[in-house]
Amino acid sequence: MASSAAVPFWRAAGMTYITYSNICANLVRKCLKEPYKAESMNREKVHFSLSKWADGKPQKPVLRSDAPEVF
């Protein structure tokens, strides 16, 4: 038996809530005026490090700073 409850439109579109939320956040950031736009774009960056392992020991980590995908 099918439920008669309403399905969120992001779910009906085949998205996860995180994907929907990221799209909305990107749209809001693009609509901001300066200097707020620049500040929000800087907060959007992702910083992480990668370490390869060899013989059970980590090698020198590589620091990365990538911006997330823009929709």
Side-chain angles (χ1 to χ4, degrees):
M1 183 187 316
S3 173
S4 62
V7 176
F9 65 91
W10 51 266
R11 177 64 68 196
M15 286 190 244
T16 65
Y17 182 76
I18 296 296
T19 303
Y20 165 73
S21 177
N22 284 336
I23 291 170
C24 292
N26 283 331
L27 289 172
V28 169
R29 285 185 197 106
K30 289 178 183 179
C31 293
L32 293 173
K33 293 182 180 180
E34 293 297 338
Y36 306 110
K37 185 175 186 175
E39 290 175 18
S40 69
M41 292 303 218
N42 285 335
R43 277 184 266 144
E44 186 181 23
K45 292 179 183 173
V46 177
H47 304 283
F48 59 94
S49 65
L50 297 173
S51 295
K52 292 189 178 187
W53 288 69
D55 299 324
K57 297 182 181 180
Q59 303 299 311
K60 183 179 177 185
V62 178
L63 298 176
R64 302 276 313 255
S65 179
D66 293 341
E69 192 175 51
V70 176
F71 295 96

